[in-house]
Amino acid sequence: MDTRNRLYTFIKQHALFMSEEPILLAVSGGRDSVLMAHLFNESGFNFGIAHCNFNLRDIESEKDEQFTSDLALELNVPFFSSRFDTLQHSQQHHVSIQMAARDLRYQWLEEIRSEFDYQYIAIAQHQNDVMETMLLNLTRGTGIAGMHGILPKKGRIIRPLLFLKRDEIDKMVVDKDIVYREDSSNLSTKYARNKIRLEVIPVLKELNPSLEETFESNRKRFEELEIVLEKRLADLKSQLFNLVKPDEYEIDLQGLKKLDPTDTLLYGLFHPFAFTESTLQDFKRSWDGESGKIFSSVSHDL
């Protein structure tokens, strides 16, 4: 099956969008997103291109923006761009440069999508990105949601290239003689994701040459396990939580004591109310103690 048919199949399988719906493509100028733009063009989809200039790489950022503008002109599609003071945002909100760029990017893309009536925002992530995300989440600590990595569709965000591996993209770019911009920061191991991609994954592939296929199978299992858990939590909430007024519940303490496995289900029930694991452990230790204690999250008191 050729790449376009595989793309059609993946879009249909995951109900990403209808073929006539307008889609906003997030295009950095790099290999993956440029290939996505060419595939959408070859497939006859209705799309526009959006580019974020984070002003982090001086003249390289300027060249990326110009390249992406030229690409939109070549493909005869609408082009949108915006420049951000990413460093200032990072300092003001006390987040990493990468997180600042992510927040700015998604907020602006949603504004463009809504203003110009695009149905979805397409991000050019592939199977290796999923694998890197799963490893990164596992390293930092995660629940089941972190172990299924990146989903093909979440809200207005779609990822139509998740059926492809990095080496397949490399081959396609060469075969199609596609020109793209190389981001020099991708080679720096000062970023955790790059360190995993450049140093950790090559070692794991020595142990398992089919690492991408293995992680994709695991991703599907974790995604299905999350569905099972969410159904169980919904049932428990209907049994144990009695809504007495807007955003206020009476909770069956004896029912909470019977939860098994306790920690996983307790966290699942109270995480939507912003309670941390450590606070819930304190709460659990107080179950058989003196009444009257109060446990607080950023939004609720228990």
Side-chain angles (χ1 to χ4, degrees), residues 10 53 83 149 157 202-203 241 248 269-270:
F10 186 79
N53 183 340
R83 299 185 178 195
I157 304 295
V203 175
F241 286 60
E248 183 173 321
L269 287 170
F270 286 94

Side-chain angles (χ1 to χ4, degrees), residues 14-16 102 106 110 119-121 123 145-146 148-159 162 226:
H14 295 280
L16 298 189
R102 182 186 184 281
Y106 280 104
E110 173 54 27
Q119 289 302 303
Y120 297 100
I121 300 163
I123 308 295
H148 65 50
I150 304 166
L151 295 175
K153 185 176 187 178
K154 187 173 183 181
R156 294 289 183 174
I157 304 295
I158 59 173
R159 297 175 172 89
L162 284 185
E226 185 183 23

